[in-house]
Amino acid sequence: MVAGMLKRIGLVTLLSMTAAGCAVSPTGQKTLLLNSPAQMNAMGTQSFEQMKEKLSVEDDTRVNRYVQCVADAIVMEVPGEYGYAPQDWELVVFKDEAVNAFALPGGKIGVYTGMLKMTDNQHQLASVIGHEVSHVLAQHGNARMSQQMLTQLGMAAATIAMADRVDSKTQQAAILALGLGAQYGILLPYSRQHESEADTLGQALMAQAGFDPREATTLWQKMGQKGGATPPELLSTHPAPNTRIQQLNAQVEQYMPVYQQARASGRKPDCDRLKPR
Ligand SMILES: [Zn+2]
């Protein structure tokens, strides 16, 4: 009786969730989004606050001004349809040797000082920030979490379906499994498809902002070569096979005119003058 009811509820929930969540990503990929933007923004903001407490925040004004200059130029180019205004973005530089950077829903950008050492100039830093911001715009965190929730839901439904008589313990386990999906997924590795999409959008953003799109290829090549015993931390959440570098390189031709157009119309970011030596 209870099992039957739970099974029905599970199925109905699954169907309504999938029906509600079908969306198309910025590059035209079908994607499942089960969380509302408001939920994702709240989770992103909460995670960011936790990171600010856990990690040490860079207080050197020069460093902050340099990274802010690059981030400002990028977020200025975010199309309004994504629901972010330039002033909605918050940037924090973390004092940490890890070669890392990230962006979270709610307009949060984190750049580690280790990444500043890896990037030679404003263009390379812009390619990282553009890439991270693009993950947020394309709602990759939401997609990743939704996929997990679906897996958890499927597992819970299977558990219930297999049990002849569902005792309260099994019910609890199933309900717990459903809840777990919501806790993870905010900083898990991205899929290849998400990486490719963030590369494309990111390279477009940087070119529109007046940063040289060729530098994106240079930076990812550099990161790939670093490898060895201490590969850049960024690569653990952003897998970078050679195919990505090839894709970035292939898109240079497409984005050079965008870059030249941006420079011609006065978008010439000059953040390197702020770069601490
Ligand atoms: Zn990525």
Side-chain angles (χ1 to χ4, degrees), residues 137-164:
L137 301 181
Q139 304 194 66
H140 291 160
N142 195 349
R144 226 168 18 176
M145 279 184 66
S146 304
Q147 203 54 53
Q148 279 189 324
M149 284 162 74
L150 208 61
T151 310
Q152 302 279 12
L153 190 64
M155 275 162 49
T159 309
I160 293 165
M162 277 187 300
D164 278 344

Side-chain angles (χ1 to χ4, degrees), residues 41-258:
N41 291 351
M43 274 186 272
T45 304
Q46 197 191 0
S47 300
F48 201 59
E49 292 307 315
Q50 285 167 355
M51 293 186 86
K52 281 195 262 182
E53 279 169 28
K54 221 168 60 184
L55 295 167
S56 65
V57 172
E58 176 62 75
D59 54 11
D60 186 324
T61 326
R62 290 174 315 156
V63 177
N64 277 290
R65 278 181 63 202
Y66 169 61
V67 185
Q68 191 75 55
C69 174
V70 176
D72 283 348
I74 290 288
V75 299
M76 276 294 288
E77 300 308 313
V78 171
E81 73 213 49
Y82 289 106
Y84 287 100
Q87 67 271 18
D88 291 341
W89 296 87
E90 179 188 0
L91 167 79
V92 171
V93 180
F94 292 106
K95 212 171 179 168
D96 194 304
E97 287 306 298
V99 179
N100 207 3
F102 64 89
L104 297 173
K108 310 296 176 190
I109 304 170
V111 176
Y112 290 44
T113 44
M115 180 56 83
L116 300 181
K117 288 181 187 157
M118 171 63 85
T119 48
D120 296 326
N121 52 48
Q122 60 171 4
H123 307 280
Q124 292 181 7
L125 181 58
S127 80
V128 173
I129 295 176
H131 177 97
E132 296 304 328
V133 163
S134 297
H135 276 307
V136 172
L137 301 181
Q139 304 194 66
H140 291 160
N142 195 349
R144 226 168 18 176
M145 279 184 66
S146 304
Q147 203 54 53
Q148 279 189 324
M149 284 162 74
L150 208 61
T151 310
Q152 302 279 12
L153 190 64
M155 275 162 49
T159 309
I160 293 165
M162 277 187 300
D164 278 344
R165 290 175 53 210
V166 180
D167 53 26
S168 61
K169 222 170 153 187
T170 313
Q171 282 179 38
Q172 267 173 9
I175 289 160
L176 200 69
L178 287 177
L180 280 181
Q183 287 174 32
Y184 299 99
I186 213 127
L187 282 173
L188 286 174
Y190 290 102
S191 69
R192 283 187 179 200
Q193 187 196 314
H194 288 169
E195 280 312 299
S196 163
E197 191 165 55
D199 279 341
T200 302
L201 290 174
Q203 211 173 10
L205 272 182
M206 77 182 285
Q208 278 157 23
F211 294 109
D212 188 339
R214 289 170 294 192
E215 295 281 356
T217 316
T218 313
L219 176 70
W220 286 97
Q221 261 165 351
K222 260 176 63 173
M223 276 203 282
Q225 281 157 7
K226 190 142 182 285
T230 52
E233 189 156 333
L234 190 79
L235 296 184
S236 67
T237 44
H238 300 67
N242 282 334
T243 48
R244 284 189 55 199
I245 291 162
Q246 283 161 14
Q247 185 198 329
L248 283 167
N249 214 11
Q251 285 168 174
V252 161
E253 207 180 320
Q254 187 185 342
Y255 293 124
M256 278 308 279
V258 177

